[in-house]
Amino acid sequence: MGYFFISAICLLIVCILMIKQFNKNKIKQTQLLGISYITQLKPLISLVQQHRGLSSAWLNGDLTVKPKVARLQEQIENIISKLKKTELHNNERWVSFYDHWLRLLNHKTKPSVANSFEQHCLLIKNLSYLLEDTSETYLLTAEYCNEFRNIGYTWRELIIATENIGQARAIGTSVCVQKVCSSVDKIRLNFLTENMQKITANTLHKLHYLSDEVNQHEDYINIATLKMEEFTLVISKELVNNSVITIEQQHYFALATSTIAAFDDIFYHQVEQLKKLI
């Protein structure tokens, strides 16, 4: 009797351990799939942001950027084609983004600068929400990532930071081409600058890192902070507080893009560290 009781207890323990291991493997597979989707969505967001900025230059009369706009559209379409074959294509945010993107491209008349900017912002907002939704659906949250309790900052605040920079890039590009910074543009650029500075000061130091990645993490944070300081200084000196706009749009666009790239380095470093923990 005692032998069968002990055997039953052992069998129960083995079953419990097997179930735990099965659940652990299932969570791991779910998280890795989520990371795969997120690392496709993030470049898509970046490309649509660039498309917005160069469209601003083109619609303001800089015809030299038209080939670049066309190349961006091809790159965007390539990523869209891949994501359409995944589970994300059923998500209502994806459906809304894709329908909106097609309408933007197939618009019969040339949109105004303001309308183009607004439409791109809506597209990017949808993709940003989709990325955050994906992190929750695929268990990439603090609840399942104990060593990265602030992982939500990666999926939300870092995306918001690059979008603030991206909007400032688009608005500033228009200003550079027109050689005029209107009172409305000054207000918008000041607002975006303030938001960028807040996120840089209040969010970056809250991001977690692995002990063996501390040096790389700090390097990325320092570079992003310096880039942000340089970019906001240029906005203030060259656009907002300068009666004569002399900075070329190519230089301004490149500076904004390199600032976004610095924040993207932090984003992808967070993702790579997370993959080590899964």
Side-chain angles (χ1 to χ4, degrees), residues 31-32 34-35 38 135 138-142 144-149 151-152 154-155 208-210 213 267-278:
Q31 290 177 319
L32 289 174
I35 286 176
I38 282 173
S135 73
Y138 293 89
L139 312 181
L140 296 165
T141 59
Y144 295 93
C145 306
N146 293 325
E147 294 186 55
F148 271 52
R149 301 297 296 176
I151 191 62
T154 301
W155 314 136
H208 290 157
Y209 52 86
L210 302 179
E213 295 284 348
F267 179 92
Y268 288 115
H269 188 232
Q270 289 280 294
V271 171
E272 288 304 312
Q273 290 178 91
L274 192 57
K275 285 166 71 174
K276 288 184 178 182
L277 297 174
I278 294 174

Side-chain angles (χ1 to χ4, degrees), residues 204 215 217-228 266:
L204 296 188
N215 291 332
H217 177 80
E218 289 180 352
D219 284 346
Y220 283 141
I221 297 297
N222 291 335
I223 291 170
T225 301
L226 289 173
K227 279 288 184 182
M228 181 65 79
I266 298 172

Side-chain angles (χ1 to χ4, degrees), residues 62-276:
D62 186 350
L63 301 182
T64 64
V65 301
K66 195 171 182 180
K68 295 179 182 179
V69 173
R71 284 196 295 272
L72 283 172
Q73 288 175 191
E74 289 181 8
Q75 292 175 287
I76 290 168
E77 289 296 334
N78 286 336
I79 297 179
I80 287 175
S81 295
K82 293 176 183 177
L83 286 172
K84 280 170 66 178
K85 299 173 184 177
T86 70
E87 299 171 359
L88 295 185
H89 86 281
N90 290 320
N91 188 293
E92 62 180 15
R93 294 195 190 280
W94 173 261
V95 173
S96 177
F97 159 77
Y98 183 59
D99 177 67
H100 195 167
W101 172 251
L102 290 179
R103 283 188 283 111
L104 179 69
L105 288 189
N106 298 321
H107 204 278
K108 293 181 179 179
T109 59
K110 202 173 182 180
S112 66
V113 175
N115 181 260
S116 173
F117 178 85
E118 184 179 338
Q119 298 307 312
H120 279 88
C121 287
L122 290 173
L123 287 166
I124 294 161
K125 181 183 289 188
N126 245 329
L127 288 175
S128 300
Y129 285 149
L130 177 58
L131 189 150
E132 191 171 0
D133 287 350
T134 301
S135 73
E136 295 174 0
T137 302
Y138 293 89
L139 312 181
L140 296 165
T141 59
E143 181 182 354
Y144 295 93
C145 306
N146 293 325
E147 294 186 55
F148 271 52
R149 301 297 296 176
N150 287 339
I151 191 62
Y153 285 111
T154 301
W155 314 136
R156 184 175 53 255
E157 273 73 12
L158 284 181
I159 300 298
I160 292 172
T162 56
E163 174 56 1
N164 283 326
I165 301 167
Q167 288 190 24
R169 176 175 59 186
I171 295 169
T173 296
S174 289
V175 170
C176 291
V177 174
Q178 296 178 84
K179 301 299 182 185
V180 175
C181 191
S182 68
S183 58
V184 172
D185 285 336
K186 289 180 180 180
I187 292 171
R188 294 159 82 190
L189 287 170
N190 279 331
F191 174 76
L192 290 167
T193 297
E194 185 179 337
N195 284 346
M196 287 185 272
Q197 291 170 335
K198 282 181 180 178
I199 289 178
T200 304
N202 301 329
T203 299
L204 296 188
H205 73 279
K206 295 179 182 178
L207 297 172
H208 290 157
Y209 52 86
L210 302 179
S211 57
D212 60 340
E213 295 284 348
V214 58
N215 291 332
Q216 186 67 78
H217 177 80
E218 289 180 352
D219 284 346
Y220 283 141
I221 297 297
N222 291 335
I223 291 170
T225 301
L226 289 173
K227 279 288 184 182
M228 181 65 79
E229 289 173 355
E230 181 186 3
F231 182 52
T232 54
L233 182 62
V234 166
I235 290 174
S236 176
K237 289 184 65 175
E238 299 289 345
L239 303 184
V240 175
N241 296 310
N242 195 356
S243 56
V244 180
I245 309 299
T246 58
I247 185 171
E248 294 298 323
Q249 74 89 357
Q250 293 89 343
H251 176 68
Y252 178 82
F253 192 94
L255 176 59
T257 301
S258 66
T259 306
I260 290 176
F263 277 79
D264 283 348
D265 284 340
I266 298 172
F267 179 92
Y268 288 115
H269 188 232
Q270 289 280 294
V271 171
E272 288 304 312
Q273 290 178 91
L274 192 57
K275 285 166 71 174
K276 288 184 178 182

